[in-house]
Amino acid sequence: MNKKIIIFCFSIFFLACNKEEFLFNNPSSKETGLVFENTIKPSDELNILDYLYYYNGGGVALGDINNDGLLDIFLSANQEKNKLFINKGNLQFEDISLKANISGNSSWNTGAVMGDVNGDGLLDIYVCAVVGVHGFYGNNELYINNGDETFTESAEKYKLDFDSYSSSAAFLDFDLDGDLDIYLLNHAIHTQESYGKASLRYKRNEQTGDKLLRNDGDSFTDVSETAGIFGGINGYGLAISIADFNQDGFPDIYVGNDFHEDDYYYINNGNGTFSDQLKNYFGHTTRFSMGNDVTDINHDGLPDIISLDMLPEDELVLKTSDGDDNIQNQKLRTQKFGYHYQFTRNMLYVNQQNSPFLETALLSGVAATDWSWSSLFADFDQDGEQDLFISNGIPKRPNDLDFIKFISNDQIQKKLNNTKLVDKEALQLMPSGKVRNYVFKGTKNLEFEDKSDRWISNKKGVSGATALGDLDNDGDIDLVVSNINEEVSLYVNQTNDKSNYLRLKFDYPLPNAFGIGTKVYSYHQGELQFKELYTVRGFQSSSEPVIHFGYGSVQQVDSIKVVWPNMTYQTLKNISVNQQITISPEKTKPFNYESLIKKSSKLFEKVSNNLGINFLHKEDNYTDFNRQKLIPYQTSDRGPAVAIGDLNMDGKEDIYFGGSKFNPAKVFLQKDSLYVEEKIQIIANDSINEDVVALIADFNNDNKNDLLVGTGGADFYDKMKPLLDAYFIQTDTGFTKEQFPKYYENASVIEAYDYDNDGDLDVFIGNNVVSGDFGDIPNSYILQNNEGSFSLLENQPFQNIGMITDAIWDDYNSDGFTDLILVGEWMSPKFYKNTMGSFVEESVIDSKLKGLWQQIIPFDIDKDGDVDYLLGNWGKNSKFKATEEHPLRMYYADFDNNGSTETILCNYKNGSYYPLLGLDELASQIVSLRKKFTTYKSMAGKSINEIFEKSILNKATIFEVHTLASGYLENENNRFEFMPFINELQVSPISSFLEYDFDFDGKKEILVSGNYFGVTPYHGRFDSFPGALIVSRDSIVLGNKLGLEFNQKAVKKLNIIKILDKPYVLATINNDKAQVYKLTH
Amino acid sequence: MKQFKKSLTITAILLVLFSCKENSEPIEITPDHFHTAIDKVVDVMIHDIFSPPVASRVFVYPNIAAYEILAQNDSSYYSLENQIKHFGAIPSPDRSKSINYPLAAIIAHIDLSKQLIFSETKIENHRDSLYNIWEATNPIEFKASKDYGLKVASYISGWMNKDNYAQTRTMSKFSVDSEDEGRWQPTPPSYMDGLEPHWNKIRSFVIDSAAQFKPVPPPKFSMNKNSDFYKELVEVYEISKEITKKGDTSEEIAIAQFWDCNPYVSVTRGHLMFAVKKITPGAHWIGITKIAAKNDKADFNRTVFAYTKTSIAIADAFISCWDEKYRSNLVRPETLINTYFDDEWKPILQTPPFPEYTSGHSVVSGAASIVLTSIFGDNFSFADDTEIPFGLPIRNYKSFKHAADEAAISRMYGGIHYRAAVEVGVGQGRKIGELVTDKLTMVKK
């Protein structure tokens, strides 16, 4: 008996241990009856070489077609017939395809979506096709639901029988006339070899162009031309999402276009037309745009967007795949051809309500999910946060570098020449692109946790179109995933009753019975969850027409506001969780969309005439990466200098702006009510200099202000004259250039203080980089002022201190002596105690705090009476990864012994350090690597220690960064602890802090600016930080709510200028016009 | 008994003598061995994707090593020492050893080639299979020849590594300025960076400096309809339209494709890309050298001599041509035709990734043809089968000059050059060829 018990226990134990406790189970098709495979058989006549979207897969549409309360499944395939499965309950599905008459007559199908096309309250099915090439025949087909589990193909009747190159279609009522219109998403099929101008999109092509089809009752009319919808020859439309992005009651559209056509962001003008506003709201988009989806990830009632691309995470794949453009080609594409910035990674856009979106995919941890097709937001674990599922994979990787450069040639060459066809065998040489799908758990602060290992199976496959719905009626969200050459997968959510939910269906007047376009605002315990009902999401599929919310352990929802498509609304109160309710319009009131616009007091108002300060900084054409190919970022674009001070001694403050190479510096003198540019010849003379920093002050105590200019630009090197800083003294007759110590450096900061207490201003000059030798540490200097004449200190305390970016004179230890604090890149903030005229470094920070520090300013952020220090850093929204245990590393050495140095940046991943760049980039500088690694595969997956010999690495200097977060040093009895800022301030590098009482409440605040573009396309562009106002640690407001227009601007410096006793904010911007803001309070 | 022992001893001695004689056959090295060695290097270069200028460097140094070894043992050939001003004498051979000079030459050639390419294994495999045969044939001769060959290779390697190649690897990239319309910009489909913008800093062989044969500047860029430049641009466009009308079988297309010699033509189909690879212009003329030597039934030393002199001219031709390319930085026809005439126009050949003036193929063909004429004579007609492995047919030429002229004009047919680049280019090349022929005395007259 005992033995039996023991065996019994063992079995339970065994079973329990082996049972994969994933959030989603995958029952087999045998168990469910859902037998369907999108089988693709490449042949010599048709394969990926002939048709570029050969691997895009089919479609999935979920809907209750027979109104029995169970969600049914429609599947389309490329070469197979369509299938319709009825849900019999208990996850049992029955194939009713024959009876239903939906098998289809087109030879190549793509997306499948469900919607009530004829407005009778029953879900119809629209199936897209590619027709007219490669022998594909047929057309898009429309299956009108007869209500008895049969359908009648009626595409021609409704004028929806297009024979073009269709990907998918979306339903929306764009003219708010009550019926559902259709946006048909088409794609081009030719390979665009030359970029071609962006204006190609204005020339309509019926096969490749998207179409907006207005529902006219019994048929649809193509209104694309009048509606302003592009239908060009270069549109590779692969994904579409509908949402009211600007919350004005009219649905808008986001279209993801593959290759170099930009994505489209169509804002509905409310009069039957749309305007593409992409460049106004997005600083950059995905490059090879595939799936996209919309939801509110941060509980502010605004729809956010994710767009997918193909950036791998796995080192083996990453380092064998073709990467991003180089920076010169990016300039070509954007400046010459008119395209917008595009980068190869996923993008997550956080809606800022009528201000440009924040882009945070890297910060949020969702940027790299390999060749990704469908992205779908839903609260899978029902904890109240939106989670994210991403399907991915491709049968063969056509962008594998070994295949492209080495393997392909031998096989393909012969065949191409002889037969103009490509051998199947040649295709076999491409590596497999089977990968596991991804799922991310949403959290409160814009970050997602990768739960792929815990929530779903890690089986590798090629998954594409995906749809969401509750298939087993247990309340939680399940998934149906279409695969290539494999059975369709069912992901059955096991959350069940562990967490609470609510499902909302709508019973809206015909012809929009399902209430497409309805908005729902759910409030519980002060928390808002917002959703809009659009079923076409992700990629080539449509999900169930139900709104689903998760509530964790909360039992009752305080209120739910339903805003109907006709701009009326009603509120439900005290709704119990764990049920599905059907809501129909009842006692509705008109909804005022204006009420959604959060009225924030705009502290700043742009002055239209800029107060006469029409300064335009123009960067020169120098690209650091041309000279040093591997450096992490540029240092030549840190200007222009700006200094405020009275230059003509008339009691009014004037402005000095530095110029870039060959552009002269400019001076604006304050006149009666405006500033007027004045040419001060001697200052404009040195136009070859790149003026990066400047200071106006009276250095020789003659009551006339002088000017000190620090030069840089990282272009001049060695002992070139333009690297000498300049010192101009003002005399009765104007300015003269004075003697100044000769040191040849790239300046970054000048801060003046009479540190030796002898009555005249001494100066600290911080230098940032050694031109042409990134990694070599420049010297920074204290210049001692002797009655107006500067000299270098005998014993320079700041030789080789670091790559300095900012400095302040401040008494950090409250001992009455003003000390010096330095910050810079690849170093920790350094505190130098002023001990009666000499400087001693003091360690006041306990943790390791090396960063890419850009700015420092003293400020009591926690309002506890002592001074903290705000630190601007690189931000967490980049491909760099840094933690205290696993810092970001930069190896610096002459790796190939040829007299010039290189820098190799490495991230820590899974136990080792890997170079960020691949073989092509590294070998372009270190040619010996081409000998060592004759294939990309041989270097992929190798850590830095496996790539370079120990002897070489041993002679390298290793720079580290422990944190990339901007934040503040909290003062605790003159010891400092670093506290990072909220994620909204980590979106870009921070470039400037400005302290002032902006709202005139008697207390000072800090205005923050940032953004930076001096990186390669690999890193993207840090362009979406809108600035921020820090009132205190817990009170931070983003600049876009305050009237600032910093989006897509690399704001270099913020200053207060005063004219006619009124203060203004002057924002000096790199390579752009300066901006002037009035303080409205 | 004593008699029997004596005959046994004699027999034994005789046997030993005979068996030793079997192992002391000299290793036979034919010109074909050298041709094969060069072919192997060309194969690897195609695989590794060497650009035209860099490929010229891979040819010249191993050839010089082989030549210098032969000159040690053949008084009808003079060493290049003191003829190439920075080249000092190679180590002398140990005359007491039974060095097989052609064998040593091949060994040196293989070793240096291996240093210069990337995929070393391919060369090693070839080398090792030969080594096995040679060693089995005559181990003593093999060892002596190998020792000497590698010694010379090491010496040449030291000399080779001072030619600035390593330094140019990390020099700055060519900076694109798309607002300057006359300035070269990357071209479709790959928009690759300008290749080898610092090639004029490579140490030259016979020309005294990269700019010694600096050509006249190209017609000044202008889109004014009356300007020479504009007329040249239109000419390229018109020619391409005519050729396209004539169709795929036209003679002009055949000529263009025959002299394409683009080591990396990228083909894109959607997300799929692959490379179609071929020999470079320099390699084409190296191939013609092979044909000439074979037709001429040149012996081993003459074969090596021909390759060496030709590859020196080709190497200097690239230095001179690239010097001008990155001085005039002229924009390619494709860029302007797409902007101004027809945004869908594609040249018949894929535009290679470097500035337009002068035409590399023209300069190289001019230089190589002069040198080959000096060796094999005028009116040396031949059938050029170098492009057969790449699916192109044989073409026949009456002389090296004829081939060079056709190579030059082919670049216009291909739609990748204006007329000035090819006409001035081939003249530039000829001057280099003449200088090499005049200055280098390699054969005893």
Side-chain angles (χ1 to χ4, degrees), chain A residues 48-50 52-53 191 193-197 200 258-259 288 290 310 322 326 328-329 331-332 335-337 371 398-399 403-406 408-410 412-413 416-417 422 427 430 618 621 625-627 629 896 898-900 902 924-927 930-931 934, chain B residues 46-49 113-121 165-179 185-186 188-193 264 266-278 334-335 338-339 343-344 346 350 389-391:
Chain A
I48 187 71
L49 246 95
D50 305 297
L52 82 184
Y53 287 143
T191 295
E193 293 211 316
S194 70
Y195 294 144
K197 287 212 170 62
L200 281 173
D258 199 359
F259 299 113
F288 302 114
M290 289 180 274
M310 14 189 287
D322 205 16
N326 73 50
Q328 300 201 111
N329 284 344
K331 264 196 200 148
L332 214 61
Q335 289 169 13
K336 188 173 181 209
F337 293 105
W371 205 302
N399 64 343
F403 179 80
I404 294 171
K405 293 204 172 167
F406 301 125
S408 60
N409 177 65
D410 303 323
I412 294 183
Q413 165 90 304
L416 261 188
N417 289 330
V422 176
L427 295 176
M430 277 189 251
K618 231 180 155 322
N621 201 28
F625 302 111
N626 279 354
R627 198 203 240 146
K629 301 170 193 136
D896 48 0
N898 73 339
S900 26
E902 292 84 29
S924 74
Q925 193 86 1
I926 306 168
V927 128
R930 289 293 312 276
K931 254 213 196 277
T934 52
Chain B
I46 292 176
H47 177 271
D48 286 350
I49 312 172
S113 299
K114 181 172 82 87
Q115 287 180 43
L116 287 159
I117 48 78
F118 298 134
S119 301
E120 291 186 355
T121 341
Y165 176 74
Q167 283 65 26
T168 55
R169 298 309 88 199
T170 51
M171 288 183 183
S172 55
K173 279 208 239 186
F174 176 79
S175 68
V176 175
D177 179 3
S178 57
E179 286 175 34
Q185 337 173 339
S190 309
Y191 294 88
M192 281 195 266
D193 283 322
Y264 187 91
S266 92
V267 182
T268 359
R269 308 279 174 95
H271 281 284
L272 189 147
M273 271 173 286
F274 55 89
V276 174
K277 304 194 279 193
K278 286 210 227 26
E334 183 168 18
T335 306
N338 280 153
T339 311
D343 62 3
E344 289 188 19
K346 268 170 55 165
Q350 191 165 102
F390 310 106

Side-chain angles (χ1 to χ4, degrees), chain A residues 611-624:
Chain A
L611 294 179
I613 305 169
N614 56 355
F615 174 69
L616 167 64
H617 175 244
K618 231 180 155 322
E619 261 306 347
D620 56 72
N621 201 28
Y622 177 69
T623 307
D624 302 37

Side-chain angles (χ1 to χ4, degrees), chain A residues 73-118:
Chain A
I73 303 177
F74 179 91
L75 300 159
S76 62
N78 300 125
Q79 294 169 321
E80 312 279 331
K81 295 275 178 207
N82 307 324
K83 284 216 172 152
L84 177 60
F85 290 86
I86 292 293
N87 188 337
K88 311 298 283 177
N90 287 324
L91 292 172
Q92 297 299 301
F93 295 88
E94 183 189 322
D95 180 350
I96 63 160
S97 309
L98 278 175
K99 164 188 176 191
N101 195 25
I102 47 79
S103 304
N105 288 315
S106 304
S107 58
W108 186 275
N109 288 111
T110 49
V113 293
M114 284 192 196
D116 185 3
V117 176
N118 61 351

Side-chain angles (χ1 to χ4, degrees), chain B residues 137-154:
Chain B
T137 311
N138 189 334
I140 297 175
E141 185 178 289
F142 174 64
K143 183 174 187 319
S145 314
K146 179 171 155 219
D147 284 348
Y148 183 57
L150 292 179
K151 192 168 178 191
V152 173
S154 166

